[in-house]
Amino acid sequence: MLDGSTVKTFTQYLAKGTVRTVVFEDSFGGTAEAAGAYADAIRSSGVDTEVRGQCMAACAYAFLAGKTHRFDYGLQVNGVLLPVATRPSATELASRWRGDEAHKTLAEFTPISAAIPARQPETSTGSAKDNWQPDHGVLFTASPTLFGLVYNAFYCDGNQGRDFSKCERLPDADPFKLGVLTP
C-alpha cells in the first residue's frame, strides 16, 4: 500500500544511485497524493519499474513514472489498474498514459496544493480527489500460457470489488501501444 508513510525513506534510497529497478509486488492501493510523490521520486532518479503480481491505483501511477515499465516474466498473472474518473474513449486511451500524459491524468485526482504533500489537508469536499476509487479504472493484465504471455485490457466500473472477471474487456487496448508497458 502506497500511503505516503515511507516516501522520504524511499526518495533517500533512490538518491543513493544504486537502484536500477523499482519492483512493485502485489500493491493494492494508496492515495493519489502518495502516487504523485512516489512517481516524482522515480521520475527524478531515472530508474526502471517492474510489476510482479498486482499493482493497483497509487502503485500504477508510480509504476508509469519509470524510464521503462514492464511486467515480471514469472508464471503469475500480472496486472496494473489505473484509476480513471470516467470510462475513456478509444482516442483518450491512445495518449492517456504516454510520457507526461500519465502525470497529467494523475492530476485529475489531486488538488493543486498536492505538490507539497505536507501542506495537503486531510479532507476536502467536492474536490477532484473524490473521484479516486481504487477499484475503478482500466486494468491491463498479462497471463502466462504455453505460447507466451497474453495481454488484455478491461474497464472496471468499481462495482466488481476485487473480482476483475466482471470487468468489461476493451478491444484494441494493447498495453505496449498505449504506453503502459515498454519493450
Side-chain angles (χ1 to χ4, degrees):
M1 175 84 75
L2 299 182
D3 61 4
S5 61
T6 60
V7 171
K8 184 176 179 181
T9 305
F10 179 76
T11 304
Q12 290 171 344
Y13 194 68
L14 286 179
K16 292 179 182 178
T18 58
V19 176
R20 289 191 289 186
T21 303
V22 173
V23 179
F24 296 99
E25 187 169 356
D26 293 328
S27 180
F28 291 101
T31 64
E33 292 84 6
Y38 282 97
D40 289 343
I42 290 168
R43 193 176 295 106
S44 67
S45 67
V47 297
D48 298 331
T49 54
E50 181 178 309
V51 167
R52 291 182 187 155
Q54 305 301 307
C55 180
M56 309 294 172
C59 172
Y61 278 104
F63 165 74
L64 288 177
K67 185 172 58 175
T68 64
H69 19 96
R70 64 180 184 269
F71 283 149
D72 182 52
Y73 297 109
L75 296 176
Q76 75 279 353
V77 174
N78 296 308
V80 171
L81 179 89
L82 291 150
V84 294
T86 59
R87 187 183 193 283
S89 68
T91 54
E92 285 178 307
L93 280 174
S95 65
R96 188 172 183 103
W97 297 295
R98 290 194 174 280
D100 289 336
E101 293 301 314
H103 191 64
K104 290 177 187 173
T105 58
L106 178 59
E108 295 174 3
F109 301 107
T110 55
I112 294 170
S113 62
I116 306 171
R119 297 174 65 192
Q120 174 63 32
E122 288 297 318
T123 60
S124 62
T125 56
S127 72
K129 81 178 207 175
D130 294 337
N131 291 328
W132 181 264
Q133 299 175 26
D135 297 331
H136 176 215
V138 178
L139 173 67
F140 295 94
T141 64
S143 305
T145 67
L146 292 175
F147 306 104
L149 294 175
V150 174
Y151 296 94
N152 284 304
F154 304 90
Y155 172 71
C156 305
D157 63 8
N159 293 325
Q160 76 287 335
R162 296 260 184 234
D163 184 2
F164 297 114
S165 67
K166 296 180 181 177
C167 297
E168 170 192 355
R169 189 170 183 284
L170 295 173
D172 300 324
D174 182 294
F176 291 99
K177 290 179 185 174
L178 299 179
V180 174
L181 297 177
T182 55

